[in-house]
Amino acid sequence: MNTQCIAYVTDENYLFPTAVSALQARRAASASTDVVIVFTERFRHHDEALDFCNSAGLIVVDGSQLLAERFAKIDRSDFQARITIAAMGRLLLSDLLPRHYRQVIYIDGDTQIVGDLAPLEELIVQPGKLVAAMDYTSIIEAAQTGQKSGYFNSGVLKFDPADWIGPAAFEYFIRHGGHLHDQGALNSVAGDAGIFISNRWNFPRQFLHLLDKHPTIIHFASHPKPWDGVYFPCSRAHTAVYGDVLQNYPCLSPFVRKISLTRRMAYRLRSFRNRMAYTFEQ
């Protein structure tokens, strides 16, 4: 029985990109690390989701009942209904995952695993500590001021589930809210628990055009997403991954979400503008 896992939390709307990242994680991780997907709700296409997970060697955890009970404590009207159970679910992984896991690597679904995960797997996080990388805003702030920020991104985390700050962050959010949801709550209660790692493990998509070395995990935290199309600074290769997985796993087709023509045109305009701005800066 493995004592380490890579965990994802998703609702039905976000299963497709999450499935792609989880499949990449399964291929990149060692056999001694499980890859788990926590479902936050009962999917309409539940059988298709299970079919994919079983064929890809992924473990499914049904978190719908526990998360619904915990989420009932939050008055969503106070936060313009922008909170999702999937976003907050990572805070409660210690209650959702089987007890035999002693080390958990949490990864957001809007990521791609493009390198070897072994160094992150081999890292042992002590109880009460949290391993994370700097947030995109922190990187910008450090570049502008020359001073490092202690604000981390919650898209890739590693922790000991027996003693970590997720539940405390969940309670903090219930009391105080926050426009950054789980990430803001985690940073608010972290104190000296945070241990920073290289952004190769959580690389912001905004910097893809500046790369001279390959990261291990790319985080597409802002729109447009690579599964929406090829938009600067993402490459055709970043987008092609989703088509390739869909071709190999047609059971995922019910989970593909397409953007509107209006949004597609807006993304194309933004992509062209950003590409031109970068070109003329060189």
Side-chain angles (χ1 to χ4, degrees):
M1 184 177 292
N2 291 338
T3 59
Q4 177 166 246
C5 75
I6 296 170
Y8 294 84
V9 182
T10 186
D11 54 22
E12 185 165 8
N13 187 58
Y14 225 63
L15 178 65
F16 178 54
T18 300
V20 172
S21 180
L23 182 63
Q24 292 175 328
R26 181 63 282 163
R27 292 170 177 171
S30 68
S32 60
T33 298
D34 291 337
V35 179
V36 179
I37 298 184
V38 177
F39 291 174
T40 65
E41 59 189 353
R42 177 71 183 188
F43 294 173
R44 290 171 299 161
H45 300 281
H46 188 73
D47 291 343
E48 291 90 337
L50 288 182
D51 183 28
F52 165 75
C53 291
N54 291 334
S55 59
L58 309 177
I59 297 171
V60 173
V61 170
D62 181 1
S64 57
Q65 181 174 347
L66 185 147
L67 289 173
E69 292 171 355
R70 300 291 181 85
F71 209 71
K73 298 168 65 177
I74 298 177
D75 183 0
R76 298 188 220 182
S77 64
D78 288 342
F79 310 103
Q80 292 78 49
R82 293 181 295 111
I83 310 163
T84 67
I85 296 180
M88 299 296 291
R90 77 196 77 184
L91 302 182
L92 302 174
L93 280 170
S94 54
D95 295 326
L96 290 163
L97 295 172
R99 298 296 181 186
H100 59 83
Y101 292 126
R102 294 292 175 260
Q103 294 284 293
V104 174
I105 301 170
Y106 167 81
I107 302 179
D108 267 359
D110 56 349
T111 55
Q112 289 185 20
I113 317 299
V114 295
D116 183 13
L117 291 175
L120 187 58
E121 291 178 273
E122 294 165 1
L123 176 65
I124 303 300
V125 183
Q126 298 302 311
K129 296 296 183 180
L130 172 68
V131 165
M134 289 177 64
D135 185 65
Y136 166 74
T137 57
S138 297
I139 298 173
I140 295 296
E141 181 180 342
Q144 293 174 340
T145 66
Q147 298 180 345
K148 288 187 177 181
S149 168
Y151 193 85
F152 57 83
N153 184 274
S154 64
V156 178
L157 307 167
K158 186 168 186 180
F159 53 88
D160 179 342
D163 182 16
W164 89 293
I165 64 174
F170 187 79
E171 294 300 323
Y172 178 92
F173 185 84
I174 291 174
R175 295 193 303 271
H176 304 287
H179 70 290
L180 292 174
H181 306 169
D182 66 293
Q183 181 168 293
L186 279 169
N187 275 274
S188 296
V189 303
D192 60 357
I195 300 173
F196 281 85
I197 55 174
S198 166
N199 275 94
R200 66 173 287 198
W201 302 106
N202 187 350
F203 194 87
R205 67 172 290 280
Q206 293 91 337
F207 300 139
L208 281 172
H209 58 298
L210 304 176
L211 277 178
D212 58 359
K213 295 182 179 180
H214 291 295
T216 302
I217 302 174
I218 303 174
H219 191 183
F220 302 94
S222 60
H223 293 281
K225 306 290 189 178
W227 55 88
D228 293 330
V230 183
Y231 303 105
F232 182 83
C234 298
S235 69
R236 189 168 301 276
H238 295 131
T239 296
V241 167
Y242 300 92
D244 293 343
V245 170
L246 187 60
Q247 184 174 6
N248 292 326
Y249 296 92
C251 58
L252 288 173
S253 58
F255 306 101
V256 176
R257 303 289 182 262
K258 295 184 179 180
I259 59 175
S260 66
L261 179 60
T262 301
R263 179 169 293 187
R264 188 176 300 278
M265 295 303 296
Y267 286 164
R268 287 178 179 175
L269 179 61
R270 185 193 304 176
S271 175
F272 176 78
R273 182 185 63 213
N274 292 343
R275 186 184 298 277
M276 289 300 100
Y278 173 69
T279 299
F280 287 112
E281 286 175 358
Q282 303 307 300

